[in-house]
Each structure stands twice: as structure tokens, then as C-alpha cells.
Amino acid sequence: MNSNQEYTSFKDQLIAAFREGEERMNGESKSAFHQVRRSALQSFETLGFPTIRHEEWKYSNVKSMIGEQYSFDDGSSLTAEDMAPLQIPNLEGNILFFVNGHYRADLSQIVSPATHLQIKSFAEAQQTDAETIGLHFSRYADFQDSAFTALNTAFAQDGVFIRIPDNKVVDQPVILRFITDARYHNVAVQPRNLIVVGRNAEVKVAESYRTLGDNAGFTNVVTEVVVAAEARVEHYRIQNDSERAYHIGRTQVNQADNSHYYNATITLNGGFVRNDLNIVLNGQHCESFMYGLYMPNGKQHVDNHTLVDHAMPNCYSNELYKGILDDKGTGVFNGKIYVRPDAQKTNAYQSCKNVVLSPDASMNTKPQLEIYADDVKCSHGTTTGKMNEEALFYLQSRGIPKDAARTLLLYAFAEEVVSNIKIQPIREYLEGIIREKLAL
């Protein structure tokens, strides 16, 4: 089967699955929510899967992912005992597990009071919070020009709905653990998440993704984050996945006046990873901070696309992404700062730094500035190179063995990003994994 046939076959499989599900919906198929899903499916049918001829996917070929056969909407028998090895030491908070895209209340715990934190599965929220879901669902993550966002929107059934009321501070972090159970066969999951943070509210949210088993797992996730005026959000995404894990993730953020959004995306392992982080500063005096670390080795591929849309004046954004690439690992960074005509007094900064350890590893970078206002301060830059031989020689001259010196320098390089994770148990857990990976 050639690549075009594979693309068409998988596309037809998905469309057929949607039609079959629609036939079982009865009266719900006429709901406003489902009409959005149906419109998204039409977009997916028109767009099809991207190929390397698409500029946004020039360096990320999804052929191997499309060539797999997956089971959709699969159940799982995972128990609390099965989850035990995945626990992060000393981590406390609101910890929610989603297995094969579905919320597992029996494995989860919510400790914050309902007056400060409202958490429901996305499936439940469609019934109990239809008005809020209708107000925000698919209003930010546009599916008109993104096949994977259209696909996720069409199949949006479960995931998480989080709402923080106005003027509430959630002291305990919200930890979202997405587990794909691929122990018995290939599995595809499409979680849909909506996080609505009220005026002057504050919350820390961390997502993590793991695939269990030796089979292929395909995760296509969309998270919409609504940050009201004067709200503060810390948002972390941790990816430590298997060699046969395919991950497509889109995070779409909308900020109102005087809000603060802080994001760190850490990709330690995964066969094929594509992260899209899009932030719209849709109010004045917003601040956005973005940090990223990716460490592909073996034949792993990690692609980070970011877009910061300065839609209003007097806003600030700062972005730092770092990569360590080894073996035949490949990386992509495409970061765009977009400043609209009315967005005067914008301050926007972007930096991407990479260390390539192997002659077979490769890194493709494309920093972009698109500025339509004249009273701004914007800069961007990217560097890709080998280890700093002078620093390595200096450490060796002080009696540190070469391998240890190499690990020390790389760890310090990565730590500039990891140190920005403010949930201490998660930061310490990641530092341990990074030390292990760099020592190999």
C-alpha cells in the first residue's frame, strides 16, 4: 500500500467510526454541541492528513503514524496496582487519571474544595454545564485549517473540564495523568480538555502522558485554556512516553486584561511528538512565559510549534526552548511572534538553543517575527551546535572525568528550563530522569 492509500484508508476508517457513533446518538445528534462536531468532521474530510508538502509539516512526516491500525474508544482493565510504578514521589494535590481517553474516578482524588475548584469529566460536563461548554468549546482552537484539531473536535467525548470561579486561589495543583493502555493492541485516544479560569483566580495545572505496553499508541489531544482578567495560570506538559507512542497535542490559550500565563513543555521521550502551543494576548497588560525542553535520541522525533499572537497593546511575552539531540534523533522548532497593528508597546522575546551530540542527529529551526505595529521591542534568535569544547576541557582540567563533565554541562543546559517548573515534586522527578538519560 503506498502512502496516499494509507492516508486515505486511515481517513476513511475515522469517518466511518464517526458515522457509526452518530447513528447511536438518537436525539443528541441534533444538539448544538454535536453540530460543531459535525462541522469539524467536514473540515477533516476536506483537509485530510498533512504531508511534508504542507509548510507547517515540512519536517514532520506522519506517514508511520497513519500506517498503523488502531482500536478506538477502547476500554482498559488497568488497576491502582498497575498505576503504582507511575506515581511521582511526594506529589500531592488533585490527581486525575484518564485511561484511553476516559476519566477514571476510581483511580483519582480531588482534595480542593468545590467552592474553589470544579472538576468534571468532559463527558459529564456536556450534560451538567452545557451553557459553559457551549460558550467556550471550539471557540479558540480553530479546526478550519488543522486536520488534527478538526479530528479531535469531531470525536470530542471525554477528557477534563476545569473551572476556577472568580477570586479563588487553588492551593493544591491539578495533575492530569493521561495513560494509553497499549499492552494488547494498538490504541488511539483523543482527549478534549477545557480549562476556564475566572477573574482574579489562580491555579497550577500539570498534564503528563504515558503509553503502557509494546504496541503503538496514538494520542491526539486538544486543550483550550481561558484566562480571564487578572487571573494567573501555571501550566505544565510532561511527555515521557514509549518508542511507539505518537503524540499530537494542541494547547490554545486566550488571555484577557492583566492576566498571567506560564507554560513549560518537557519532552523526554516519545517516538513521534508534535506540540502546538498557541497563545492569544487578547487584552492589555498581559504577560506570557513559555519554556520548552526536548531530548530526542534513538529515532525519536520532537516538533514544537509555538505562536504568540499579540492582539492588544502593552503586553509582554518571553519564550525559551532548548533541545539536546543524540543518536538519530530529530527536532523541529518553529516559533512565531505575531504583532497586530493595534498592539503598540509590545515587548516580545524568543530564543531557541540546541546541542547536537551525534552526526546523525538533526535540528530544524524557524524563528519568525511578523510585526504590523511600529512602537515595539521584539527579538528572536536560535543557535544549534556541538558541545562547548572549551567548557569541557576546563572541567577536565579540574580533575572531572570527560563523561562526567559532559553530563554536568548538559544537565546545566537543561536545568535552565526545568528550574522554571514550580511544583517541586515534579521538578525533582524530571531532574532524576534527565540525569539518567544524560548518563547513557
Side-chain angles (χ1 to χ4, degrees):
M1 185 181 291
N2 63 39
S3 59
N4 288 335
Q5 289 174 321
E6 289 174 346
Y7 279 59
T8 302
S9 175
F10 191 32
K11 177 182 173 183
D12 290 345
Q13 180 189 359
L14 289 161
I15 293 170
F18 181 91
R19 302 298 186 203
E20 290 173 9
E22 191 173 48
E23 290 176 359
R24 298 191 295 266
M25 292 183 67
N26 298 322
E28 292 182 16
S29 63
K30 298 179 180 179
S31 67
F33 178 84
H34 185 68
Q35 296 311 307
V36 175
R37 298 175 67 214
R38 183 178 289 170
S39 178
L41 183 75
Q42 292 173 350
S43 290
F44 173 68
E45 288 186 80
T46 301
L47 293 167
F49 287 108
T51 70
I52 56 175
R53 292 190 296 272
H54 294 78
E55 183 64 28
E56 294 297 302
W57 292 85
K58 184 176 180 180
Y59 301 109
S60 296
N61 194 338
V62 301
K63 179 181 176 181
S64 59
M65 178 176 67
I66 302 303
E68 302 279 4
Q69 294 292 318
Y70 300 97
S71 174
F72 292 87
D73 200 26
D74 220 37
S76 171
S77 60
L78 281 175
T79 65
E81 289 72 23
D82 296 324
M83 298 295 189
L86 304 180
Q87 300 296 338
I88 296 175
N90 304 314
L91 180 61
E92 298 178 351
N94 304 281
I95 303 177
L96 288 81
F97 279 90
F98 299 81
V99 180
N100 289 353
H102 297 291
Y103 176 54
R104 287 284 297 272
D106 58 313
L107 302 174
S108 305
Q109 63 176 30
I110 300 175
V111 298
S112 295
T115 54
H116 288 61
L117 173 66
Q118 298 167 12
I119 295 182
K120 298 177 182 179
S121 73
F122 193 79
E124 179 187 359
Q126 292 173 39
Q127 307 299 323
T128 61
D129 298 79
E131 183 177 349
T132 303
I133 295 291
L135 185 63
H136 297 293
F137 173 63
S138 197
R139 297 299 175 93
Y140 313 101
D142 184 13
F143 55 73
Q144 300 294 334
D145 58 358
S146 171
F148 287 105
T149 300
L151 184 61
N152 176 280
T153 305
F155 282 87
Q157 292 179 335
D158 211 352
V160 70
F161 169 69
I162 299 173
R163 180 175 175 270
I164 317 300
D166 294 350
N167 303 310
K168 300 297 183 182
V169 176
V170 182
D171 295 322
Q172 294 280 12
V174 179
I175 314 297
L176 308 175
R177 303 294 306 271
F178 293 93
I179 310 297
T180 301
D181 183 3
R183 294 175 298 171
Y184 307 112
H185 45 251
N186 297 348
V187 174
V189 299
Q190 302 198 70
R192 183 69 178 222
N193 306 318
L194 175 61
I195 303 171
V196 181
V197 184
R199 186 182 186 93
N200 196 38
E202 192 171 328
V203 68
K204 297 181 179 70
V205 179
E207 304 172 38
S208 76
Y209 295 87
R210 290 289 293 272
T211 299
L212 304 182
D214 297 326
N215 296 295
F218 167 43
T219 299
N220 178 31
V221 57
V222 173
T223 301
E224 294 179 291
V225 185
V226 185
V227 189
E230 301 175 17
R232 298 178 64 85
V233 177
E234 292 178 25
H235 189 189
Y236 307 110
R237 299 186 78 244
I238 313 300
Q239 297 160 328
N240 184 25
D241 225 323
S242 70
E243 295 296 319
R244 295 197 66 198
Y246 303 98
H247 182 103
I248 308 291
R250 177 171 179 177
T251 301
Q252 187 75 40
V253 183
N254 188 78
Q255 291 185 243
D257 292 341
N258 299 292
S259 63
H260 181 108
Y261 178 77
Y262 188 102
N263 182 287
T265 300
I266 312 295
T267 307
L268 300 177
N269 289 291
F272 181 101
V273 179
R274 166 66 178 250
N275 295 314
D276 284 276
L277 172 60
N278 302 331
I279 302 175
V280 181
L281 286 75
N282 214 10
Q284 294 199 48
H285 304 289
C286 296
E287 291 188 352
S288 297
F289 296 85
M290 293 144 284
Y291 299 94
L293 174 68
Y294 40 97
M295 302 177 65
N297 60 0
K299 295 182 179 180
Q300 297 175 356
H301 177 85
V302 181
D303 180 346
N304 285 292
H305 270 59
T306 67
L307 168 64
V308 184
D309 184 350
H310 284 263
M312 298 291 286
N314 301 302
C315 293
Y316 175 88
S317 67
N318 200 332
E319 178 176 10
L320 174 63
Y321 270 65
K322 286 191 165 188
I324 301 174
L325 301 94
D326 204 355
D327 303 325
K328 295 182 179 180
T330 56
V332 180
F333 174 80
N334 187 316
K336 184 175 183 179
I337 298 171
Y338 183 82
V339 182
R340 296 180 183 271
D342 294 332
Q344 304 294 347
K345 303 294 184 182
T346 286
N347 287 344
Y349 306 98
Q350 178 192 100
S351 177
C352 177
K353 302 177 181 179
N354 304 282
V355 176
V356 179
L357 303 176
S358 164
D360 295 321
S362 64
M363 182 71 204
N364 297 284
T365 61
K366 186 181 178 182
Q368 297 174 274
L369 289 176
E370 194 168 334
I371 302 172
Y372 297 98
D374 51 16
D375 187 5
V376 302
K377 292 181 180 179
C378 297
S379 68
H380 68 116
T382 179
T383 60
T384 299
K386 299 178 181 179
M387 283 282 296
N388 187 326
E389 295 296 334
E390 289 185 8
L392 192 62
F393 176 79
Y394 176 82
L395 292 177
Q396 289 180 265
S397 71
R398 295 298 184 268
I400 299 175
K402 184 176 181 179
D403 288 346
R406 173 183 177 275
T407 299
L408 187 62
L409 287 172
L410 291 172
Y411 181 80
F413 179 81
E415 183 66 10
E416 187 179 0
V417 170
V418 178
S419 63
N420 288 287
I421 293 179
K422 300 176 184 179
I423 303 175
Q424 184 176 345
I426 294 179
R427 184 178 68 249
E428 292 175 349
Y429 173 75
L430 292 175
E431 289 170 344
I433 295 176
I434 291 170
R435 283 194 293 267
E436 291 177 8
K437 187 160 186 174
L438 292 177
L440 295 175

